[in-house]
Amino acid sequence: MAGRYEENNNVQNPSALQAEAMGPDYAGGIHGMEAEDIAAQIGESETWLDQIKTMVRQNKLAAFSALVILVIILAAIFAPLVAPYDHLEQSLTDRLTHPCAAHWLGTDELGRDVLSRIIFGARVSLTIGLVPTLISMVIGTVLGLCAGYYGGKVDFVIMRLADIMLAFPSLLLAMVVMYTMGGGLINIFIALSLVNWAGTARIVRSQTLSLKEIEFVEAARSIGVKKWTIMFRHILPNCLPSLIVLFTLNIPSAILSEASLSFLGIGAQPPSASWGLMVVRGKKYLFSEPWLSIAPSVAIMIVVMAFNFLGDGLRDVLDPYLKEQ
Amino acid sequence: MLSKVVKRIAISIPVLIGVVLLIFIMLRVVPGDPVATMMGEHVNPAMIEKISAELGLDQPLYVQFFKYVGNALRGDFGTSYRLNRNVTQIILESFPHTVKLSVLAALVAWIIGLVAGIVAAIRQNRLLDRLFMGCSLVGVSMPVFMTALVLQYVFAFKLQWFPISGFDSWQAMILPAIALGWNSAGSIARMTRSNLVEILQNDYIRTARAKGLREHGVIIGHALKNAMLPVVTMMALQISSMLSGAVLTESVFGVPGIGRLSVNAIETRDMPLLQGTVIFTTIIIILGNLIADLLYNVLDPRIREGA
C-alpha cells in the first residue's frame, strides 16, 4: 500500500539543491502549492518508468545513446564470439601492422589484434563503470539516509567526512589509494568505491531532509514503523529517480578514472586489455602507429559520451531540479 | 559580509585538518614496512630499525601526525626518501610549472568557452550553435590524455608547429595548455550559452532592444553581465579539475610539474613526497573553492545583501 502511494509521490520529489538553497526551513513548504503544480503538470499517475518511456520517444539522442550502450554491453558479454581474434593471442610475425582487412585496427607491438583488444577491453571498462559506481552509491545512499534522517551528531560527522572527501580531486585520492594497495584492477575497484560516495551522500541527505517532513513519513512514524523501515521502504523509493540519474552520470567518470589511472601506469597491469593501458602502451608508437593509442581513446570517448547523453536525457525527465547543479 | 567571510574561512579549517589526517592515515596503512620496501629485500633488520628511528617511523602514529602537522604549518613537509631532499623545496621547484600550465589552460578555456558560448547563444539553434555545442560535448567527453595525444600528433609531429614535449619555451607551453583547457572550455561554453539564452528572454532585454540599442550593445551591456555570474564561479571551481587534469597533461608532454612529481612519487614509493604533493595540491584546491565562494558573494548583490 505504502509503496504505491509513494510511487505517485515521485513527482513531488523535492530537489536537493532547491531545498538547500531555500534553507533548512524550506523542507516544510515543499508539500505546498509548488509540488501540486508540478504534479498537475506531469500527471499524477506517471511513474518514473513512464517518464523513461517518454524520454525514449522525445529525446532521440538519449535513446540512441542507450542503444549504443546496449550494443557495447552485448559486445562485452559476447566478446569471444564477436572479436575476430583472442585479445591475448600474440603473433610476432604480424607486429605493428597497419589497419587492413585482416586487422581492422592493426596490431600492437606484440602482434595482438587491436580491435579484439578493444572489444575485450569493454569488459574492463564497463565493469569498472558499473561495479564500483554501484558500491560507492550504496555507501553514499546509506550514509545520506542516515545523515538526513537522524540529523544531529550523525549528520554532522557524516557530512563533514563527505566535505573532506569532496575536497580532493577524485583522481588524486584514487592515486593515494593505489599507492597504498598497489596496482591492479581489483584495487581500482576498491579505490573507486571508496572515493566517490560523498556526492551521492549529499544529494540523498538533502532529499531525505525534505521527504521526512512529508505526511506519509509522518503517518508511518505515528503508527510506529521502525526507523530503518521508514528510511528504506518509504524514503529511499522516492530518492530513486535522482539516484538513477546520478548512477548514469557517475559511470562515465568512473570509466575515465580507471583509464586515467591505467594511463599513468598505476592502474590495470599488462596483459589486461584495459583501454587506458592500451593508450599508454601505444603512446610509444604514437608517431609511427597513431591508431594504437587513438583507437582505444576513441572507444573511451564513445562510451563516456553515450553515458553522458543518456544521463542528461534521464535527468531532464526524472529529475529536472538536479539539472541546476 | 565580514562575518560571513570569517564563517566561510572557519568552515574550511576542519576540512583542511581532515584532509591532512585522511592522507596521513591512508599512506600509513600500507602493508609492509616502508623502510624495508624502500631499501629492498636484503637489508639486515638492525639497519631497518636504525633508519626507522631516524625517520621517526618507530613512534606512535598520533605522535607522528602531530609532528607532521606542526612541521607542515612551518612549511616543512619532511624529507623525500628517494631524493633525500626537503619535500617543500622539491614542490616549490615544480609548482611554478603547474601554475603556469593551469593559468594558461584556464585562459584557453575561458577564451574558447566564452566566445563559443556567446556566439552559440546569439545564433541559437542555427548551424554555428549546433557546431559549437556539438564540439563542446565531444570536448567534455574526451579524456584529457586523448586530447593531449591528438594535439601532440597533429600539431607537433605532423605539422611541426610546436615542440613535441618540454616546457621551457612559450611555444612548448601552448599544446599542454590547450590539452588541459579543452574540457573546461566545453563546460564553460555550455554554461555560458544556456545562461545567456535564458537571460535574452527577459523583459529588460526586450526593452533594451525596443529603445533601439544595437544587438551587440544588448548582449555586452545588458545580457552578458548577468549571464556571467554563475560562469565566473564555475571558472574558479575549474581549478580543481585543472590540477587533477594536470597530472595527465604533464605526463604526456613531459612538463616537470607537481602532477608528474606525484606520479613519480608513486612509482618510486616515495611516501613523504606523495604525501606532500597531495596535501599541497588539495590545500590549493580548498583555497580555490573558498575564493570562488567569496567571489560569488562579492559579485552577486542578491547574495551579498541577503547575508
Side-chain angles (χ1 to χ4, degrees), chain A residues 61 160-161 163-173 175-182 256 259-261 263-266 275-276 279 283 286-288 290 293-294 297-298 300-301 304-306 308-309 312 315, chain B residues 11 14-15 18-19 22-23 26-27 29-31 137-138 140-143 145-146 149-150 152-153 157 164 190 240 244-245 247-248 251-252 259 262-263 265-267 269-271 274 277-278 281-282 285-286 289:
Chain A
L61 193 58
R160 290 301 80 74
L161 204 59
D163 283 347
I164 293 168
M165 299 301 279
L166 287 171
F168 289 102
S170 65
L171 182 64
L172 220 56
L173 196 55
M175 279 167 65
V176 174
V177 181
M178 296 310 286
Y179 170 87
T180 308
M181 301 189 305
L256 277 178
S260 305
L261 288 173
F263 180 81
L264 292 171
I266 47 179
W275 292 340
V279 177
K283 204 183 101 189
L286 180 67
F287 302 129
S288 50
S293 44
I294 300 301
S297 306
V298 172
I300 299 171
M301 190 178 84
V304 168
M305 220 149 76
N308 278 338
F309 282 140
D312 280 351
R315 183 181 52 193
Chain B
I11 295 174
V15 173
V19 160
L22 191 70
I23 290 294
M26 275 166 71
L27 288 176
V29 292
V30 178
L137 271 175
V138 175
V140 171
S141 303
M142 261 166 104
F145 52 79
M146 176 184 181
L149 290 175
V150 171
Q152 202 178 37
Y153 181 76
F157 176 69
I164 284 172
R190 274 158 62 99
S240 170
S244 50
V247 177
L248 297 161
S251 112
V252 173
S262 53
V263 176
I266 294 180
E267 279 165 358
R269 314 253 353 130
D270 192 339
M271 195 265 282
L274 180 63
T277 49
V278 173
T281 312
T282 315
I285 288 167
I286 292 176
N289 291 346

Side-chain angles (χ1 to χ4, degrees), chain A residues 71-94:
Chain A
V71 169
I72 296 171
I73 291 176
L74 288 177
I77 294 173
F78 299 107
L81 301 175
V82 181
Y85 301 87
D86 184 75
H87 66 298
L88 296 175
E89 184 190 311
Q90 302 183 5
S91 164
L92 295 177
T93 48
D94 287 331

Side-chain angles (χ1 to χ4, degrees), chain A residues 20-222:
Chain A
E20 229 161 50
M22 307 293 257
D25 305 330
Y26 181 66
I30 280 272
H31 196 54
M33 266 285 286
E34 219 170 289
E36 275 157 25
D37 283 350
I38 298 164
Q41 273 172 23
I42 304 177
E44 192 89 39
S45 62
E46 207 169 37
T47 67
W48 53 268
L49 269 175
D50 293 328
Q51 290 171 336
I52 291 178
K53 282 181 204 151
T54 318
M55 181 207 75
V56 173
R57 275 196 304 276
Q58 287 173 356
N59 191 337
K60 292 281 180 285
L61 193 58
F64 179 70
S65 303
L67 194 71
V68 170
I69 293 167
L70 192 71
V71 169
I72 296 171
I73 291 176
L74 288 177
I77 294 173
F78 299 107
L81 301 175
V82 181
Y85 301 87
D86 184 75
H87 66 298
L88 296 175
E89 184 190 311
Q90 302 183 5
S91 164
L92 295 177
T93 48
D94 287 331
R95 293 167 57 220
L96 299 172
T97 51
H98 290 231
C100 58
H103 301 281
W104 289 5
L105 292 174
T107 57
D108 67 4
E109 75 277 14
L110 295 171
R112 296 173 296 194
D113 183 55
V114 172
L115 178 64
S116 306
R117 283 181 71 72
I118 288 181
I119 295 173
F120 274 91
R123 291 181 161 185
V124 177
S125 276
L126 287 178
T127 330
I128 288 286
L130 296 171
V131 181
T133 308
L134 196 66
I135 298 175
S136 68
M137 286 193 64
V138 169
I139 299 176
T141 306
V142 173
L143 290 177
L145 276 173
C146 289
Y149 196 79
Y150 287 106
K153 277 181 195 149
V154 179
D155 182 27
F156 183 82
V157 171
I158 293 175
M159 289 335 280
R160 290 301 80 74
L161 204 59
D163 283 347
I164 293 168
M165 299 301 279
L166 287 171
F168 289 102
S170 65
L171 182 64
L172 220 56
L173 196 55
M175 279 167 65
V176 174
V177 181
M178 296 310 286
Y179 170 87
T180 308
M181 301 189 305
L185 281 175
I186 299 291
N187 290 345
I188 297 188
F189 264 61
I190 301 172
L192 295 181
S193 309
L194 290 179
V195 163
N196 293 326
W197 58 267
T200 314
R202 230 181 223 189
I203 286 171
V204 172
R205 170 189 176 262
S206 46
Q207 298 215 340
T208 309
L209 275 184
S210 342
L211 285 164
K212 76 171 180 186
E213 304 296 332
I214 296 180
E215 283 90 340
F216 71 86
V217 173
E218 213 173 297
R221 215 173 343 183
S222 60

